[in-house]
Amino acid sequence: CSMDKRGAIWAGSEGVYTVQSPVVEQIGSFAGAGDTMLAAFMYARMLCAAPITDALRFASASAIVIVIACACTAVAFKKKEN
């Protein structure tokens, strides 16, 4: 589960695990980071058999890519003020 800027948490039969989120500046709005995080976590755990903490770190980093990409787009296409 994403905890936004505070990182991510997993609670299951294996226990409770948390990881910190990388710090990035959010510019504008974005969509898809949560979906990306879930897909990355499932990929790491189910297909790569990664430990939970590694899967959470990978998922969190993958979501950050979306946030950064959207921030770059927001800056690149920012409406010019007259």
Side-chain angles (χ1 to χ4, degrees):
C1 180
S2 173
M3 298 188 307
D4 198 26
K5 296 176 184 177
R6 296 174 311 224
I9 187 169
W10 168 267
S13 60
E14 302 92 343
V16 177
Y17 300 86
T18 59
V19 296
Q20 297 296 314
S21 178
V23 178
V24 296
E25 181 180 350
Q26 179 183 339
I27 301 172
S29 61
F30 60 92
D35 294 337
T36 299
M37 183 175 184
L38 177 59
F41 181 81
M42 296 302 291
Y43 170 79
R45 278 295 283 161
M46 309 284 284
L47 295 177
C48 299
I52 292 172
T53 53
D54 290 348
L56 281 175
R57 284 188 195 97
F58 177 71
S60 184
S62 298
I64 290 298
V65 170
I66 298 300
V67 173
I68 292 170
C70 290
C72 291
T73 302
V75 170
F77 296 105
K78 184 176 180 180
K79 185 177 180 180
K80 293 182 180 179
E81 300 290 329
N82 289 336

